[in-house]
Amino acid sequence: MTDPETLSVTIVDGYVDEPAHFGVPPYISTYPRYAAGALVDAGVPREKITYHTIDGLRDEPDRWRDVDEADLMIYLGGMTVPGKYVGGTPAEPDEVRKLAWTASGTSLMGGPVKFGVGDENAGGTETERQDLDFDFVAKGDVEAAVFDLVESGLEGFSNRMRDVDEVSRWAQEGAFIVEQHPNHPEYLIAELETSRGCAYRCSFCTEPLYGNPTFRPPPSVVGEVDALSDLGVRHFRIGRQADILAYGGDGEAPNPDALRSLYGGIREVAPDLETLHLDNMNPITIVEWPEKSREGIRIIAEHNTPGDTAAFGLESADPLVQEENNLNVTAEECFEAVKIVNEEAGWRPGGPRDPRPSEGASGAAASAGEDAPTRLPKLLPGINLLHGLKGEREETYERNLEFLHRVYDEGYMLRRVNIRQVMSFDGTEMSETGAEIANEHKKLFKSYKRQVREEIDNPMLARVAPLGTVLPDVHLEYHQDGKTFGRQLGTYPLLVGIPGERPLGETTDVAVVDHGYRSVTGVPYPLDLNEASMDELTTIPGIGSSTAGDIVVNRPYESISEAEFGGEVDLEGFATARPLERAD
Ligand code: SF4
């Protein structure tokens, strides 16, 4: 019998990406936090628990010693909806196998990896269930398996799900693990779970494998945020649920009171939070219960931080594909939902539609008024489209484009359009069709994707983040082609390119000056005309190199109105002319 007090445990995070759960850095998913909490609850001392990300192991080969020497090595990972990631590279199946071979102690694997593993982490692939040479695979909840395994003296566990009391306890007790994340504390965003399961049964989706929705009550989530916030976490995303609007209700209809307790409670225990975003809202909830949904959306927009996205799983605007795959929302219904979110939450803090009472020079609306910089809208819909589904035909691509054009032409905003190809998993209806249709349509998919980028993404981005929009706290991540690229923390953050190579790892406020398909070009905010580089000046539309040269030659300026632009350039919203420091 192994005494939990003497047990050393290493948790390796290979990252997760599920339809309703994200855990690639800068995100940390719930899995390592809950697993750590289950270990503590089972009697393992905190100081005997080591946590590494897969990138951490790649960066420092010495860390593999912790994998080798632990009495128990827990691997957490699995990509059921893989995408492209800037902040980290998910573990590939070969690396996961290597973990199992390296571990001298007991090895346990869990997380969405239990649904299946493909040859690589990519869309359009088929998967099969594999144990990847681990001693144990948790087929139920990995945190419950961890708890039961330790309780049994590492003998075994039953594949059960955890209950609400357990998750409330483990979420709080395991929060300490965030301190071992390489991104802690500044550049880390904690994914929060409010519910699991879904009332609907879309053919490709793994979420119904968790059953009908079960909710964590507000005190459970709020208590966890309190614990995380005490450990320095300032960024949160309520992303682990199929539909935030259904939170705390009967599984389908909204319950605005529950949303108020959740969001209000979070703001109370974490008054200094810098990001509060969400993921996943089901458009069908909005069209079926429009009034309650409007109220719920208003509550969210009152408490969240700007740039928030309600991802809508339209998946396909083609009625044939909808029918064959049990998709629960039509293009018409989705359009209605887009409109409602725009109306209730598409306002910008300090902008003309900001519904909050003005509080003069202080308080929540302090940045309001004519001089306030333009910010991203509070909450906008995002659209998810999935390709390779049963019944997909050429017309499907046309229908999807038609839908997106309609949203744009009628003046609404989408925060982003996400296009993916299906992965098929055992236990979902798509497992019969597999990746066949996705492979057949690969060429069509490519040209359609380009069309969406050019015809929709680019003009939409200019509408969402017009010239001069200020993005505070952009984290600088990498250099490329003489530019520095970075992102804010949050849900689907915009990639921002800034002229020049700036020190990485720092944060800076940026004003948007130009738009790509899915990224923007920005200059430091406020742009000081007495300091700005030629590169920075020439990225501003309307300022060519000769104007920029004139601006530089005629320095210093007392105010920006002194500078001659010779054109229609309006710098009022984001430029300044700071007095030069006088040398004594
Ligand atoms: S609505 Fe469909 S896609 Fe969304 S979580 Fe439920 S089953 Fe999955």
Side-chain angles (χ1 to χ4, degrees):
M1 182 80 187
T2 319
D3 180 1
E5 290 252 351
T6 63
L7 207 66
S8 64
V9 184
T10 296
I11 298 173
V12 176
D13 190 347
Y15 313 142
V16 299
D17 193 355
E18 300 180 80
H21 196 173
F22 189 57
V24 181
Y27 283 79
I28 179 167
S29 75
T30 64
Y31 292 108
R33 286 145 44 203
Y34 292 180
L39 288 167
V40 171
D41 202 28
V44 180
R46 283 182 180 199
E47 57 281 7
K48 307 260 319 173
I49 304 170
T50 305
Y51 168 71
H52 290 307
T53 62
I54 190 71
D55 284 309
L57 289 179
R58 290 178 188 129
D59 293 348
E60 288 274 343
D62 272 0
R63 292 179 178 147
W64 280 85
R65 198 177 308 142
D66 296 329
V67 175
D68 175 11
E69 292 173 0
D71 298 315
L72 172 62
M73 190 277 290
I74 303 167
Y75 171 73
L76 304 165
M79 299 279 134
T80 60
V81 282
K84 283 206 179 108
Y85 312 102
V86 184
T89 308
E92 288 292 343
D94 282 347
E95 289 177 303
V96 184
R97 258 190 216 101
K98 186 179 159 196
L99 286 167
W101 297 339
T102 307
S104 308
T106 304
S107 59
L108 164 69
M109 172 170 96
V113 70
K114 70 186 177 190
F115 294 129
V117 182
D119 292 339
E120 53 173 345
N121 293 317
T125 54
E126 293 180 22
T127 64
E128 59 174 319
R129 293 201 167 113
Q130 291 184 22
D131 64 10
L132 297 171
D133 301 328
F134 275 68
D135 298 328
F136 295 104
V137 179
K139 300 202 179 73
D141 279 328
V142 63
E143 54 272 27
V146 165
F147 182 83
D148 295 351
L149 185 63
V150 174
E151 288 257 292
S152 75
L154 302 187
E155 294 297 319
F157 54 86
S158 64
N159 283 308
R160 70 177 178 93
M161 306 300 265
R162 37 77 171 169
D163 61 34
V164 170
D165 284 343
E166 284 174 327
V167 71
S168 303
R169 226 167 43 235
W170 297 344
Q172 288 195 35
E173 285 180 1
F176 76 93
I177 209 78
V178 296
E179 291 189 304
Q180 296 185 42
H181 194 289
N183 289 39
H184 180 271
E186 279 94 17
Y187 195 38
L188 186 66
I189 178 161
E191 182 83 319
L192 298 173
E193 172 189 336
T194 64
S195 84
R196 299 197 305 177
C198 184
Y200 305 97
R201 298 287 179 265
C202 303
S203 71
F204 57 89
C205 183
T206 48
E207 195 57 25
L209 302 177
Y210 290 102
N212 284 329
T214 48
F215 300 102
R216 286 177 69 193
S220 173
V221 185
V222 171
E224 182 184 10
V225 171
D226 198 4
L228 289 165
S229 163
D230 285 348
L231 292 155
V233 178
R234 295 282 172 268
H235 306 273
F236 300 92
R237 185 177 82 154
I238 305 174
R240 184 35 191 134
Q241 71 275 312
D243 180 12
I244 186 64
L245 273 185
Y247 176 69
D250 60 6
E252 293 180 60
N255 177 357
D257 291 339
L259 276 174
R260 197 172 284 110
S261 312
L262 176 73
Y263 273 88
I266 290 175
R267 280 292 192 171
E268 222 174 284
V269 297
D272 300 332
L273 67 77
E274 289 165 33
T275 307
L276 182 58
H277 281 174
L278 63 86
D279 195 21
N280 298 319
M281 188 181 277
N282 196 334
I284 201 69
T285 309
I286 304 179
V287 277
E288 293 209 355
W289 295 276
E291 287 318 311
K292 277 188 172 176
S293 294
R294 280 183 187 271
E295 190 182 343
I297 293 165
R298 281 197 295 272
I299 291 165
I300 294 169
E302 188 189 319
H303 292 92
N304 70 354
T305 52
D308 199 0
T309 311
F312 285 173
L314 170 62
E315 317 302 356
S316 179
D318 183 349
L320 184 73
V321 178
Q322 277 158 20
E323 202 186 308
E324 293 216 6
N325 297 277
N326 260 338
L327 305 182
N328 61 22
V329 64
T330 65
E332 193 56 43
E333 288 166 334
C334 191
F335 182 83
E336 182 61 20
V338 164
K339 180 172 162 261
I340 289 178
V341 173
N342 268 265
E343 284 170 1
E344 298 297 344
W347 50 273
R348 300 171 196 269
R353 285 175 55 209
D354 186 341
R356 297 168 302 175
S358 174
E359 293 173 22
S362 63
S367 58
E370 271 179 22
D371 298 337
T374 307
R375 299 282 165 145
L376 286 176
K378 262 310 188 82
L379 174 71
L380 289 179
I383 298 289
N384 296 343
L385 295 168
L386 190 60
H387 287 272
L389 290 170
K390 280 188 279 180
E392 181 175 289
R393 46 191 176 154
E394 241 180 283
E395 200 183 319
T396 309
Y397 292 82
E398 288 159 23
R399 297 264 189 165
N400 286 358
L401 279 166
E402 231 169 72
F403 169 82
L404 295 172
H405 275 291
R406 181 178 172 205
V407 172
Y408 183 77
D409 293 345
E410 297 205 19
Y412 296 111
M413 290 186 280
L414 293 177
R415 178 56 188 71
R416 61 116 182 92
V417 180
N418 192 10
I419 304 172
R420 299 193 195 223
Q421 280 187 298
V422 77
M423 244 184 146
S424 83
F425 288 90
D426 271 359
T428 69
E429 269 184 48
M430 266 310 283
S431 63
E432 290 156 34
T433 314
E436 207 177 296
I437 300 175
N439 289 333
E440 262 171 39
H441 290 172
K442 260 200 169 127
K443 231 171 135 190
L444 189 57
F445 179 75
K446 233 176 137 185
S447 63
Y448 150 90
K449 219 171 155 178
R450 191 175 333 111
Q451 230 179 321
V452 174
R453 299 293 168 245
E454 287 169 7
E455 295 171 16
I456 304 296
D457 285 345
N458 176 265
M460 194 61 97
L461 203 48
R463 185 177 284 171
V464 170
L467 180 79
T469 302
V470 173
L471 308 173
D473 296 326
V474 173
H475 291 251
L476 305 178
E477 290 174 299
Y478 63 94
H479 294 144
Q480 195 181 309
D481 304 328
K483 287 187 193 160
T484 306
F485 288 85
R487 297 173 302 169
Q488 291 176 293
L489 270 179
T491 197
Y492 308 104
L494 286 174
L495 185 63
V496 187
I498 308 166
E501 296 201 343
R502 309 184 133 248
L504 301 182
E506 294 189 355
T507 60
T508 184
D509 296 348
V510 163
V512 175
V513 292
D514 202 3
H515 308 89
Y517 297 148
R518 314 197 81 193
S519 62
V520 294
T521 304
V523 290
Y525 170 82
L527 185 72
D528 184 357
L529 290 188
N530 288 330
E531 290 283 334
S533 69
M534 282 291 285
D535 279 348
E536 286 164 357
L537 291 167
T538 51
T539 51
I540 299 168
I543 299 188
S545 48
S546 77
T547 312
D550 290 346
I551 293 173
V552 171
V553 169
N554 294 325
R555 280 169 179 166
Y557 304 100
E558 296 280 325
S559 73
I560 53 170
S561 55
E562 275 181 25
E564 292 282 333
F565 301 116
E568 298 284 295
V569 188
D570 181 12
L571 297 183
E572 288 291 333
F574 61 95
T576 185
R578 289 199 183 108
L580 291 182
E581 302 259 320
R582 206 166 292 173
D584 286 328

